[in-house]
Structures are given as C-alpha cells and as structure tokens.
C-alpha cells in the first residue's frame, strides 16, 4: 500500500489533473506487480499563505509524502525509484513552474492490514489473485 499525500496550493490542480496524476502514480506500482487498489492518493489543497518554507509563506510549492508498506525498496534501487517518482511528477510540478519535494517512508508490512486482513505475501499466488480481481479477498 503506497499512500501519497500531495500538499499543494489551492486550485493548483483541476479534477482532471488529479485523476491523471493519480492514474500515473497507480501505474508506477502496477508496473511492478502490485494490485492497483493498493495505491491511494490524497490531495491536500492549502489556502494562500498557509504553507511556509524557511519561515516564509510560499504559494508555489508542492510537498509529496509517500508512505510505502507493500514492499521495501532495496538500498541499491532507491535512486532509480526516486527517479521514476520524479519523472511521474514532472508534468504536474516542474513543467508547471512549481517547486517540489518528495520523501518516502517505509512502514514494515507486518504493521498493515486491509479490510482487517493481512495482505498476501509479495509475488504469491494470493497476491496475483488480488491483482487480477483488483480487490482484497480471503485467501489461505
């Protein structure tokens, strides 16, 4: 389960922009074999002069906090993953003139349930079933 919190200026993104970015983010994880429903994205729109960087109000900054649980990223793969994340964000940040920052936390998988169930092991038949069904379901 990746949960993306996107803190952005109010009205920075239209409903269509949000849908397009959420799809691109979901695709990042689906491309590495995770069920699409694992990806959750929340846009936190901040009113003017409500975000401060270095003690100064800023209205051109997007802050992304990602909490990843379903997989841990091996140290040797982190730079490549951040590159993919930033490439995904570029049309919605860099190309629109926003400054942005990203950080990723990784919560241990054993601290996660979904609909009260422990998620299946990575790459297991049960997880492949979840990918196919695009929803959590009982497994043994």
């Amino acid at each position: 389960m990746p949960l993306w919190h996107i803190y952005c200026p109010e009205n920075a993104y239209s409903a269509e922009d949000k849908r397009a970015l959420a799809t691109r983010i979901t695709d990042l994880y689906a491309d590495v074999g995770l069920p699409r429903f694992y990806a959750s994205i929340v846009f936190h729109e901040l009113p003017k002069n409500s975000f401060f960087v270095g003690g100064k109000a800023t209205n051109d900054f997007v802050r992304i906090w990602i909490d990843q649980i379903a997989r841990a990223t091996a140290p040797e793969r982190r730079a490549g993953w951040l590159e993919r994340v930033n490439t995904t964000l570029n049309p919605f940040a860099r190309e629109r003139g926003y400054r942005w920052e990203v950080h990723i936390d990784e919560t241990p998988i054993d601290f996660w349930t979904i609909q009260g169930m422990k998620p299946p092991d990575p790459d297991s038949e049960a997880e492949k079933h979840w990918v196919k069904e695009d929803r959590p379901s009982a497994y043994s």
Side-chain angles (χ1 to χ4, degrees), residues 33 35 38 71 120-135:
Y38 276 13
R71 299 287 191 281
D121 291 331
D123 303 315
S124 66
E125 288 305 313
E127 186 183 63
K128 290 174 185 169
H129 182 75
W130 282 27
V131 168
K132 181 181 173 191
E133 295 292 317
D134 197 26
R135 66 180 181 83

Side-chain angles (χ1 to χ4, degrees), residues 92-113:
F92 300 91
R94 172 179 283 143
E95 293 174 17
R96 295 178 185 215
Y98 291 114
R99 296 179 299 140
W100 78 99
E101 181 177 342
V102 174
H103 94 272
I104 300 173
D105 287 333
E106 291 190 328
T107 300
I109 196 169
D110 55 342
F111 268 3
W112 172 39
T113 63

